[in-house]
Amino acid sequence: MREEYGKLDKIKMSIWECCELLNNVVDDSDPDLDEPQTEHLLQTAEAIRKDYPNEDWLHLTGLIHDLGKVLLLPEFGELPQWAVVGDTFPLGCAFDESIVHHKYFEDNPDSKNPAYTTKNGIYQEGCGLENVVMSWGHDDYMYLVAKENRTTLPSAALFIIRYHSFYPLHKAGAYTHLMNEEDVENLKWLNIFNKYDLYSKSKVRVDVEKVKPYYLSLIEKYFPDKLRW
């Protein structure tokens, strides 16, 4: 998947164009399906902006964190829901019991491979999450897009984008032994961010046209005009 999508040869478009494209996506794992996806992105971003007015990079991260869900659309290969949304987890080491539906790992050949069944598996303790292979999903795809298109967002923003579905880490405290010092610092921001993501959608509608100029200015600040996807 990383080899295929790492080519970034599907389409060229701006961040805002992708936000609008995301309205064609239905995420079956989302507990709040009433509003369009863009509405969720803006509600998340606006809630963060209200509480952290000086962290403009965090506002933009709220807007773009779920853009990788375009993988569900035909022009991006129409991947199945299970391969795009839902919780993510490390590969190459023991599957922690906090991972959702853990019992089904019995059918995964990795669970029978001695090299992958220890706490560290193929990794060294403290190696840093950037060196850990995660299950594929919309998180890693959007991280790839941002990184390869040379965003100037800080590392905490990329950490949030890449690991916001890594619930075993930020909900259950699993896999912390693989983190390095930078991960520890970035996790603080991810924990802040999570309060504004799942189950935080407001019934107050966001006036898209009113807030759009602000977010366009942030996109211009941190991203090129057109990105490769």
Side-chain angles (χ1 to χ4, degrees), residues 188-226:
K188 295 173 185 175
W189 283 109
L190 178 53
N191 286 329
I192 288 169
F193 173 84
N194 276 336
K195 293 185 291 185
Y196 300 92
D197 191 10
L198 269 190
Y199 306 104
S200 64
K201 300 191 185 94
S202 165
K203 290 301 170 192
V204 179
R205 302 300 293 266
V206 175
D207 185 338
V208 176
E209 291 309 310
K210 184 179 176 184
V211 301
K212 183 178 176 180
Y214 173 70
Y215 288 100
L216 287 177
S217 74
L218 295 189
I219 291 166
E220 186 179 353
K221 178 178 177 180
Y222 291 105
F223 281 96
D225 180 42
K226 295 281 186 183

Side-chain angles (χ1 to χ4, degrees), residues 120 124-130 132 159 163 166 169-170 173-188 190-191:
N120 288 334
Q124 298 291 321
E125 193 152 328
C127 65
L129 293 180
E130 66 181 345
V132 173
F159 188 92
Y163 301 114
F166 186 7
L169 173 70
H170 50 74
Y175 300 105
T176 53
H177 60 285
L178 298 175
M179 293 166 62
N180 59 22
E181 288 182 17
E182 186 178 17
D183 293 331
V184 172
E185 285 304 306
N186 287 338
L187 183 59
K188 295 173 185 175
L190 178 53
N191 286 329

Side-chain angles (χ1 to χ4, degrees), residues 39-165:
E39 193 93 5
H40 163 49
L41 300 180
L42 284 168
Q43 284 174 344
T44 303
E46 283 292 279
I48 294 169
R49 183 182 176 190
K50 181 169 176 277
D51 292 348
Y52 294 88
N54 299 322
E55 310 291 347
D56 69 352
W57 64 270
L58 195 57
H59 312 163
L60 183 57
T61 304
L63 180 73
I64 69 173
H65 73 285
D66 271 347
L67 293 187
K69 290 180 182 178
V70 292
L71 291 173
L72 295 166
L73 297 174
E75 50 265 63
F76 288 85
E78 204 166 7
L79 295 183
Q81 291 267 339
W82 60 262
V84 177
V85 301
D87 299 11
T88 57
F89 47 86
L91 308 175
C93 58
F95 296 118
D96 191 82
E97 289 186 4
S98 64
I99 301 171
V100 68
H101 303 310
H102 177 271
K103 63 184 178 182
Y104 295 109
F105 284 122
E106 290 175 12
D107 298 323
N108 187 317
D110 283 5
S111 67
K112 312 287 191 299
N113 186 331
Y116 303 150
T117 51
T118 61
K119 184 180 177 183
N120 288 334
I122 62 174
Y123 309 109
Q124 298 291 321
E125 193 152 328
C127 65
L129 293 180
E130 66 181 345
N131 296 307
V132 173
V133 178
M134 298 291 292
S135 59
W136 176 250
H138 72 280
D139 304 54
D140 234 35
Y141 176 58
M142 188 57 208
Y143 165 77
L144 267 175
V145 169
K147 183 168 171 263
E148 295 303 316
N149 283 281
R150 300 180 184 275
T151 181
T152 54
L153 283 169
S155 69
L158 293 174
F159 188 92
I160 289 169
I161 292 166
R162 194 176 197 183
Y163 301 114
H164 69 271
S165 300

